[in-house]
Amino acid sequence: KAGVTQTPRYLIKTRGQQVTLSCSPISGHRSVSWYQQTPGQGLQFLFEYFSETQRNKGNFPGRFSGRQFSNSRSEMNVSTLELGDSALYLCASSLAGAAQGYEQYFGPGTRLTVT
Amino acid sequence: DAKTTQPPSMDCAEGRAANLPCNHSTISGNEYVYWYRQIHSQGPQYIIHGLKNNETNEMASLIITEDRKSSTLILPHATLRDTAVYYCIVRVASTNKLIFGTGTLLAVQP
């Protein structure tokens, strides 16, 4: 079974631009979560989508948004990029709702560099 | 804030068991303990998780104390490829939200 895939793997953008990152979960997984990893702040939760609905949101500004499609694929968008948005963006997918205690599988990440 | 406390680093000799401790004294009754590891610049890799009982899979064993305030991840025969940052995470109840701490850098020595 194919793992979580993220595209693109690497991206360079300029301050003020916007960016869209894509995540394809493992087949059959309905939950997709997004995380930001930086050397200073570590791994931080951005948001989670389940059945096309945002279920949880971390403490990030409104410039960070996401959505999930009916096939469970998810995208996250960052508008008006800042230098501090340079990070590894990771998505993780899970089979179902949290109550069942399913494991979450991470993709390889998208390395975003803002210049 | 992370609900777990881990030592920042540990060493282990190749072929020996690696025992990684984690404290989660404020864990709630319906919160799971998850372990992940991350090799430099890769996505975190799921290892194991548990609620109350000890768990074992092909990668590791998870020992959870009876009061659930701490746990230990055991890698039975560490190899050089097990060198990574290991994260102990308490998953927020009724969500898939994982709050990562700073983890333990495990260095397996030849």
Side-chain angles (χ1 to χ4, degrees):
Chain A
K1 185 184 277 190
V4 178
T5 58
Q6 293 187 245
T7 57
R9 293 294 310 281
Y10 302 91
L11 202 53
I12 300 175
K13 289 286 189 179
T14 304
R15 270 183 303 174
Q17 289 185 314
Q18 74 164 13
V19 66
T20 299
L21 311 181
S22 180
C23 173
S24 293
I26 292 172
S27 177
H29 285 196
R30 295 168 60 194
S31 167
V32 174
S33 299
W34 288 89
Y35 293 81
Q36 180 196 65
Q37 186 172 28
T38 60
Q41 300 297 319
L43 272 153
Q44 293 186 288
F45 174 81
L46 279 157
F47 30 65
E48 180 206 359
Y49 286 86
F50 182 77
S51 294
E52 301 179 65
T53 301
Q54 187 181 88
R55 189 158 65 174
N56 284 286
K57 192 176 190 304
N59 296 324
F60 280 81
R63 301 186 297 107
F64 292 82
S65 63
R67 60 178 176 169
Q68 186 179 34
F69 302 96
S70 59
N71 61 357
S72 294
R73 189 177 70 85
S74 177
E75 289 181 346
M76 68 162 283
N77 184 78
V78 187
S79 63
T80 319
L81 284 166
E82 301 176 0
L83 294 178
D85 297 333
S86 294
L88 181 66
Y89 289 89
L90 294 152
C91 80
S93 77
S94 181
L95 183 61
Q100 291 90 336
Y102 288 108
E103 55 268 34
Q104 296 183 55
Y105 294 95
F106 281 80
T110 294
R111 173 74 63 184
L112 172 65
T113 301
V114 182
T115 62
Chain B
D1 291 340
K3 297 183 69 171
T4 61
T5 304
Q6 299 176 253
S9 63
M10 291 182 64
D11 288 341
C12 177
E14 190 177 18
R16 305 297 293 268
N19 296 282
L20 291 89
C22 178
N23 287 321
H24 32 78
S25 58
T26 61
I27 193 170
S28 299
N30 59 350
E31 292 180 325
Y32 286 80
V33 178
Y34 281 72
W35 283 83
Y36 283 81
R37 71 182 183 185
Q38 188 174 28
I39 298 170
H40 183 62
S41 294
Q42 297 182 20
Q45 177 188 22
Y46 168 81
I47 301 173
I48 199 166
H49 74 285
L51 183 62
K52 297 179 183 177
N53 300 320
N54 297 337
E55 303 287 344
T56 296
N57 63 21
E58 65 278 5
M59 287 185 67
S61 295
L62 174 61
I63 308 298
I64 302 174
T65 57
E66 192 169 343
D67 63 8
R68 302 212 323 126
K69 292 184 177 182
S70 66
S71 61
T72 301
L73 177 74
I74 301 172
L75 306 178
H77 306 288
T79 71
L80 298 179
R81 289 186 297 178
D82 291 323
T83 293
V85 176
Y86 287 76
Y87 294 99
C88 168
I89 301 159
V90 170
R91 196 195 72 196
V92 178
S94 301
T95 79
N96 276 323
K97 178 178 179 178
L98 301 176
I99 301 178
F100 287 79
T102 53
T104 296
L105 174 58
L106 174 68
V108 180
Q109 310 290 346

